[in-house]
Amino acid sequence: MAHSTEINTDATGLVIRGYDPVAYFSDGRPVPGRSDLSVEHKGGKYLFATAENRDKFKTNPDKYVPQYGGYCAYGVAIGKKFDVDPSSWRIEDGKLYFNLNPMILEKWSADIRGYIRKSEENWPQIREKTPSEL
């Protein structure tokens, strides 16, 4: 699988460190995915806890993929690409966002709309760059 600079993957190509993106919506918590339930999507491999979640994702992946390719939403707001902690997340306006760690999630949560606005401005300029280029 070709590594994409737009998607935050680990060394094995997993997005969100192998956590099930649909579970954040359906269970309201991070749930590890299973390696036998996977989908390749836009340069990343997503794992799922259940076949039902995998099938929901296949039907409408854009509803479930994390914003900014799974990079830290706060990082994108300041023009950087940081890895994420799968337990530092939030769903805002039906979209899944991750942050570097609980402290950064708290900072981001203090002005979600402002940070999302900055991230939306920055993402087109940084999406094709590697984290080390920023």
Side-chain angles (χ1 to χ4, degrees):
M1 172 174 49
H3 184 78
S4 168
T5 55
E6 286 186 52
I7 306 292
N8 182 17
T9 58
D10 67 12
T12 64
L14 292 179
V15 182
I16 327 170
R17 297 188 191 166
Y19 280 78
D20 180 339
V22 177
Y24 288 94
F25 293 87
S26 61
D27 297 18
R29 63 185 176 90
V31 178
R34 295 173 24 193
S35 58
D36 62 325
L37 295 172
S38 69
V39 172
E40 304 268 338
H41 181 70
K42 293 185 179 176
K45 184 176 183 178
Y46 294 85
L47 300 185
F48 302 90
T50 66
E52 179 186 9
N53 283 4
R54 180 199 57 203
D55 295 345
K56 281 183 183 176
F57 183 89
K58 280 183 174 179
T59 302
N60 188 3
D62 291 337
K63 177 177 179 177
Y64 300 107
V65 294
Q67 298 303 294
Y68 317 121
Y71 286 100
C72 172
Y74 175 80
V76 174
I78 62 167
K80 302 285 185 186
K81 284 182 170 178
F82 299 142
D83 197 12
V84 296
D85 173 352
S87 64
S88 295
W89 64 282
R90 180 144 174 187
I91 293 172
E92 189 68 27
D93 292 331
K95 294 179 179 179
L96 180 59
Y97 296 91
F98 285 97
N99 277 281
L100 178 66
N101 58 40
M103 194 171 69
I104 295 297
L105 174 63
E106 189 176 326
K107 181 175 181 126
W108 183 80
S109 296
D111 184 17
I112 292 171
R113 298 242 179 268
Y115 286 122
I116 289 174
R117 190 170 52 252
K118 288 176 189 164
S119 295
E120 292 296 320
E121 290 170 10
N122 289 341
W123 185 241
Q125 282 80 48
I126 70 171
R127 72 185 305 158
E128 302 286 332
K129 295 185 175 168
T130 64
S132 61
E133 290 176 310
L134 299 172

